[in-house]
Amino acid sequence: MNALLKLTIRDILDLYEQRKLSPSEYWQAVEGRIDAFEPHVQALYLYDPEDARRQAAASTERWARGETLGVLDGIPVTIKELIATRGQPVPLGTAAVDLVPAAEDAPVAARLREDGAVIFAKTTCPDYGMLSSGLSSFHPLSRNPWVLSQNPGGSSAGAAAAGAAGFGPLHIGTDIGGSVRLPAGWTGLFGFKPSQGRIPVDPYYVGRCAGPMTRCVEDAAISMATLSRPDWRDGTSLPPNDFDWLDRSLDLKDMRIGVMMDAGVGLAAEPEVVDAVTAAARLFEAAGAQVVPVAPVLTRDMLDGLDNFWRARFWGDIEKMPKEKRALILPYIYAWAEGGAHVSGVDAVRGFNQTMEMRKAASKLFAMVDAVISPTNPVVSYPADWASPTNDPARPFEHIGFTVPWNMSEQPAASINCGFSQSGMPIGLQIVGPRYADLLVLKLSQAYEEWSGGVRNWPEPPHAR
């Protein structure tokens, strides 16, 4: 069973094709892993093994007939609970939301279903997806499989925990300021935030993207053929792409790569993080790239303006809630949101305008470089029950300095493991490409994974250690 859990999507599909493994047999291995590890990491919501068995059996029959639906037919997948699935509630991570079944699948869920993926669970997130943590007023506390006392990050907390724990090869998160990349960095996964509109989302929100979280780059690349199909419900949805997501051709000799070690604002990168990213930069240089230091794009005015805009927008969403409902929101989130009551309309617009300043600064930087590498997270780790690395609602976004600019500039960015701390925690390297150069980010990530060898020894359930 353990050997099956180490397979990549390509491995699994090859075995399906050769009739050496069926989707039902593979699902049984994943189900056993969930039974062993889920009580410790608490990554899943609406987990339904009986329905997963039914889906896997249907896929097994399709493979036997040679009538598969798509490239992910029979591949177990989780979806972050913020992404609607037909007939199931979307609690948004909070006890304050009424549990009303969704009328239809959001674009990501629809594409996965069309291709025959086995959607076996949703994954946990904090209240309204507004924390980099597994802390929630609705879900149990999600934990990092590497060290259970530590935080998996967020807001795609459950997706990260599920991926690192081995609950199948593919987990879909969402990212508005780093919520795919941050937890991927803290759990050793590859997390990909594509260009705005590359993976359609509904509802749309400024900077909000969906993206795959996987144990290797190729698994994410394979999933993009499915996830990137357009959907009219997202007004930013891009036209169908005509490129091969698995194309690995890359010539680094004429490439200029910027190394950003200072986010410009917020928490400074810890020494172990700096050392790991510096070592990664040397590998790009050894491969022929011109590696140059670059200044940050983010400023205090930009981050504080975004904070004001997010607070005002969120307060507008909840201020008309009955008081007894508002009282159910995680206190940390509510304390942060209350600040929005004092943001004027003019100040909220000024805050939003700072997203345009981020875009301009990013555009200026990418006029000089072909890609940027940086730390994903400034800190190695923090306790599981903290709401963020600062655990301070007055300083809620001090850890997103390396990640949030690329949401607002709509550029593709990924996090890939680049080593481990002395305490045994993963460290993430962020790779950023120009707008719409999603394939370049995947190629650079694939090259780095081949140089580094990737993560070889993933966490095991406590009783199996």
Side-chain angles (χ1 to χ4, degrees):
M1 288 295 188
N2 261 353
L4 292 179
L5 296 172
K6 296 176 182 177
L7 299 176
T8 67
I9 290 178
R10 182 191 291 272
D11 294 335
I12 297 164
L13 294 176
D14 285 348
L15 291 174
Y16 287 174
E17 181 72 31
Q18 298 166 32
R19 306 297 192 266
K20 294 180 178 179
L21 178 70
S22 73
S24 290
E25 290 166 336
Y26 181 68
W27 168 252
Q28 286 302 315
V30 174
E31 186 175 331
R33 181 66 159 197
I34 294 169
D35 289 346
F37 222 153
E38 173 61 8
H40 304 283
V41 297
Q42 301 186 113
L44 305 181
Y45 171 61
L46 296 180
Y47 172 47
D48 189 343
E50 184 176 343
D51 185 60
R53 291 182 213 120
R54 181 193 60 76
Q55 293 180 64
S59 178
T60 296
E61 292 179 5
R62 290 193 295 270
W63 277 98
R65 297 194 306 267
E67 298 176 356
T68 53
L69 298 177
V71 70
L72 296 177
D73 203 323
I75 299 298
V77 180
T78 69
I79 304 175
K80 188 175 180 178
E81 65 100 316
L82 294 178
I83 300 171
T85 45
R86 185 182 61 253
Q88 296 178 322
V90 184
L92 305 177
T94 180
V97 167
D98 293 329
L99 299 181
V100 179
E104 60 181 357
D105 285 334
V108 163
R111 300 296 87 79
L112 290 169
R113 238 187 271 280
E114 288 165 2
D115 275 13
V118 177
I119 303 173
F120 65 90
K122 309 293 284 289
T123 50
T124 63
C125 67
D127 291 52
Y128 300 95
M130 291 305 298
L131 295 179
S132 192
S133 175
L135 188 63
S136 163
S137 65
F138 179 79
H139 298 295
L141 178 65
S142 298
R143 295 178 178 273
N144 195 319
W146 290 94
V147 179
L148 294 173
S149 66
Q150 297 302 290
N151 210 299
S155 62
S156 303
F167 298 176
L170 179 59
H171 308 272
I172 312 300
T174 61
D175 188 315
I176 198 171
S179 288
V180 161
R181 290 158 289 157
L182 295 168
W186 278 311
T187 56
L189 297 176
F190 178 70
F192 183 47
K193 182 208 80 68
S195 298
Q196 186 73 51
R198 184 69 71 192
I199 297 177
V201 297
D202 180 42
Y204 166 80
Y205 186 64
V206 177
R208 182 173 182 252
C209 299
M213 302 174 72
T214 59
R215 285 187 169 187
C216 68
V217 177
E218 188 184 64
D219 282 358
I222 288 172
S223 77
M224 287 301 295
T226 297
L227 298 171
S228 65
R229 291 201 295 269
D231 193 293
W232 66 268
R233 290 173 288 177
D234 183 346
T236 70
S237 181
L238 298 177
N241 58 72
D242 58 359
F243 47 80
D244 177 7
W245 284 103
L246 298 179
D247 181 4
R248 295 185 180 183
S249 59
L250 179 67
D251 185 359
L252 284 163
K253 289 186 173 58
D254 295 322
M255 188 167 290
R256 185 176 170 88
I257 297 178
V259 181
M260 184 184 293
M261 288 297 192
D262 176 8
V265 63
L267 299 172
E270 293 178 344
E272 287 184 292
V273 174
V274 171
D275 289 348
V277 174
T278 299
R282 291 195 191 103
L283 292 180
F284 283 98
E285 193 168 41
Q290 182 184 0
V291 176
V292 296
V294 296
V297 298
L298 198 66
T299 66
R300 173 53 64 184
D301 284 346
M302 291 176 188
L303 188 60
D304 288 351
L306 183 62
D307 186 6
N308 278 342
F309 170 62
W310 277 347
R311 287 185 199 233
R313 191 260 189 186
F314 187 60
W315 184 254
D317 287 345
I318 68 171
E319 68 172 335
K320 293 184 179 179
M321 271 186 179
K323 287 183 179 180
E324 61 272 18
K325 282 286 187 183
R326 289 210 308 256
L328 298 175
I329 297 172
L330 193 74
Y332 180 103
I333 289 287
Y334 191 75
W336 168 77
E338 274 191 308
H342 308 295
V343 177
S344 71
V346 170
D347 284 340
V349 171
R350 285 174 178 154
F352 175 79
N353 287 344
Q354 290 298 326
T355 68
M356 299 296 107
E357 295 303 313
M358 290 185 214
R359 183 189 293 260
K360 286 166 59 178
S363 181
K364 181 179 179 181
L365 172 60
F366 271 81
M368 299 180 287
V369 296
D370 300 300
V372 167
I373 61 176
S374 76
T376 304
N377 309 302
V379 302
V380 166
S381 189
Y382 54 104
D385 58 356
W386 280 22
S388 74
T390 63
N391 206 31
D392 180 356
R395 301 168 60 238
F397 301 125
E398 300 301 295
H399 59 288
I400 67 173
F402 288 112
T403 53
V404 72
W406 319 117
N407 293 78
M408 303 309 151
S409 65
E410 303 187 358
Q411 294 175 233
S415 179
I416 188 168
N417 178 258
C418 65
F420 289 83
S421 69
Q422 290 185 353
S423 61
M425 299 304 294
I427 296 172
L429 169 73
Q430 184 176 223
I431 301 175
V432 187
R435 198 175 180 204
Y436 305 137
D438 303 70
L439 193 55
L440 173 63
V441 171
L442 290 176
K443 289 179 179 181
L444 290 169
S445 301
Q446 182 71 56
Y448 178 77
E449 185 177 76
E450 290 173 359
W451 302 332
S452 67
V455 177
R456 296 180 179 86
N457 297 306
W458 290 92
E460 292 293 333
H463 71 273
R465 292 173 183 166

